[in-house]
Amino acid sequence: MSNSTAVPTPSPPGAGSLGDIRSQTLEDLQGQFALWKEPAYRVAQLLEWLYTHRATGWDAMTNLPKALRQRLQRAYSFSAVEMARHQGAPDDTQKFLWRLSDGAFIETVLIPANPALYGEASDRHTLCLSTQVGCAYGCRFCASGLEGWKRNLHPNEIVEQVLAVERWHDALAASPPGSRPAAPGGRLVNNLVIMGMGEPLANYDHLLRALRILNAPWGGGIGARRITISTSGLVPQIRRLAEEPLQFRLAISLHGATDETRGRLMPVNTKYPLAQLAAAARYYQEKKGGLLTLEYILIAGVNDGLDQIKPLAALARRLGAKVNLIPYNPVDGLPWARPEEAAQDRFLAALEREKVTATLRREKGRDIDAACGQLRLKTERTLPGAAS
Ligand code: SF4
């Protein structure tokens, strides 16, 4: 575990009336630079500093005139996350705990060489992003929801998780030989899964703005089909997402194939029962085609019974979705347990007999508090000065 990172030059008090610089789209910046009567090529220079060089302060932007840098500094804030903790599992999954500018903590997980969980077989580095501090949805098995919702992340705080992990990797690559190879082409992250802390679709506008920035060729350059948004099942937002021009993959946290079983684990099922969720998912599939996954955490004695197979298979077939089975990662203070491997295999085999495409994901990073929200929870309970 390490406890350090470079902290960027803070913006002066009063700066930032136009928001954070990494919440801005190309169009926003072009509009502002036109108002300032700055030449258009200056926008491209600025974006190169932000997303290619991953600069963390204005002073680094040496090819921008000083007067422009001062103007930018007055107009925009430029906040960055600070690494509070970092853990790397022996299998190379890396978990980061970031402290935000208001002292709140969020988690990001880097999963290298991910074998085709969501994207293509050539997946190299997948980053799991958080979208909220805490979560209001209170799924019974989840550490992130244990202490409730604190706030939504701003677009720049979502974008910054990618840049901060890449800066961390750059620093490793620059250290003595043998530590880690440099990232090819300078980009480390080429897949995103939005399934860290928070319900992503409850922070819809900030998430979509961040993803447009991370997807854009001038920004993160990550293809939309390499971005998977996970939801506990917010029906109106799934329908809204279906209308977006970008072709994001969607993962629905199902965890139960009947209202009774799902309702026991996920309070959201009361508001949006399975029939409504299935109709919205079907709509997404019709609009996007082939981009839907059903996530199913296997919990011993709760949802791993073979009585779930028929309804789960029927739903997956109706939606044309694949099923990801994930053995539960125990959370301190919660009563749930991971099924034996034989029970996991039995569940998978039964699904396959029903002609459903399914994978059993024996998750990496089990020994680094892999269940979402655990590292934050432990830190908030032990670190002095942690967010309340
Ligand atoms: S599983 Fe997701 S939606 Fe449910 S409480 Fe945890 S973070 Fe929130």
Side-chain angles (χ1 to χ4, degrees):
M1 183 190 294
S2 64
N3 290 298
S4 65
T5 192
V7 180
T9 320
S11 297
S17 58
L18 296 178
D20 194 278
I21 190 67
R22 279 175 296 208
S23 289
Q24 311 302 314
T25 64
L26 176 65
E27 296 71 27
D28 297 333
L29 292 171
Q30 285 172 332
Q32 190 56 46
F33 275 47
L35 280 178
W36 286 343
K37 304 204 180 337
E38 291 286 348
Y41 71 88
R42 294 290 186 206
V43 174
Q45 287 177 318
L46 171 61
L47 291 171
E48 193 176 336
W49 281 112
L50 293 175
Y51 298 106
T52 304
H53 302 302
R54 300 183 269 274
T56 55
W58 305 108
D59 293 345
M61 303 180 182
T62 46
N63 60 353
L64 297 185
K66 193 164 181 201
L68 175 57
R69 276 186 269 152
Q70 287 171 341
R71 193 169 214 181
L72 285 163
Q73 188 165 1
R74 283 193 299 275
Y76 296 100
S77 55
F78 196 163
S79 62
V81 296
E82 180 188 349
M83 193 191 294
R85 285 190 176 185
H86 162 237
Q87 294 180 345
D91 60 3
D92 230 10
T93 293
Q94 309 285 329
K95 192 157 194 168
F96 302 86
L97 184 77
W98 308 110
R99 188 184 287 107
L100 305 178
S101 50
D102 63 354
F105 291 101
I106 55 166
E107 296 180 6
T108 307
V109 181
L110 178 67
I111 311 158
N114 197 344
L117 290 181
Y118 300 97
E120 295 156 22
S122 62
D123 287 357
R124 215 167 34 229
H125 287 95
T126 296
L127 199 64
C128 178
L129 302 183
S130 293
T131 52
Q132 298 184 306
V133 181
C135 183
Y137 285 82
C139 301
R140 307 270 187 248
F141 49 82
C142 174
S144 289
L146 270 182
E147 296 192 350
W149 176 86
K150 300 239 167 67
R151 70 172 174 87
N152 285 336
L153 294 190
H154 300 296
N156 61 293
E157 291 170 325
I158 300 171
V159 171
E160 170 64 355
Q161 292 172 64
V162 176
L163 299 174
V165 168
E166 292 191 332
R167 286 198 301 273
W168 164 83
H169 186 268
D170 286 348
L172 275 189
S175 58
S179 58
R180 183 173 293 264
R187 273 260 87 99
L188 173 71
V189 175
N190 57 1
N191 284 278
L192 294 177
V193 291
I194 319 299
M195 53 178 71
M197 189 186 306
E199 162 52 63
L201 296 186
N203 187 14
Y204 191 98
D205 291 335
H206 289 180
L207 172 68
L208 264 286
R209 174 170 274 260
L211 293 184
R212 278 185 213 110
I213 293 168
L214 289 169
N215 166 252
W218 50 262
I222 301 170
R225 283 175 175 263
R226 291 176 167 272
I227 298 175
T228 301
I229 301 173
S230 171
T231 178
S232 61
L234 305 195
V235 163
Q237 288 90 333
I238 291 172
R239 290 182 177 276
R240 187 175 165 197
L241 193 64
E243 308 299 339
E244 297 286 344
L246 288 173
Q247 303 277 53
F248 299 120
R249 292 176 187 273
L250 182 68
I252 292 179
S253 299
L254 197 68
H255 313 325
T258 58
D259 281 320
E260 190 195 344
T261 300
R262 190 166 194 266
R264 209 176 140 195
L265 292 169
M266 303 182 71
V268 70
N269 198 70
T270 307
K271 188 162 188 190
Y272 302 119
L274 274 171
Q276 282 187 41
L277 177 57
R282 176 86 205 151
Y283 183 69
Y284 193 87
Q285 239 352 21
E286 281 165 9
K287 286 277 189 174
K288 303 294 184 188
L291 297 177
L292 185 65
T293 303
L294 300 176
E295 303 285 328
Y296 197 100
I297 294 178
L298 285 168
I299 304 177
V302 178
N303 64 357
D304 62 342
L306 296 183
D307 60 312
Q308 295 295 302
I309 294 294
K310 291 265 183 219
L312 178 54
L315 185 61
R317 280 196 302 263
R318 183 177 156 217
L319 297 177
K322 109 177 193 206
V323 177
N324 264 346
L325 300 173
I326 310 152
Y328 183 62
N329 276 308
V331 172
D332 288 349
L334 294 181
W336 317 103
R338 167 184 285 239
E340 298 294 326
E341 290 201 356
Q344 301 169 20
D345 291 337
R346 235 182 353 259
F347 199 93
L348 174 65
L351 262 187
E352 287 173 339
R353 276 198 298 278
E354 296 287 331
K355 309 272 182 273
V356 171
T357 306
T359 52
L360 175 60
R361 182 169 125 202
R362 295 219 167 92
E363 200 148 317
K364 293 185 166 198
R366 209 178 145 188
D367 50 349
I368 55 161
D369 300 323
C372 158
Q374 287 222 81
L375 189 57
R376 165 182 172 254
L377 212 57
K378 285 188 178 172
T379 303
E380 287 198 344
R381 287 172 179 171
T382 54
L383 270 191
S388 57

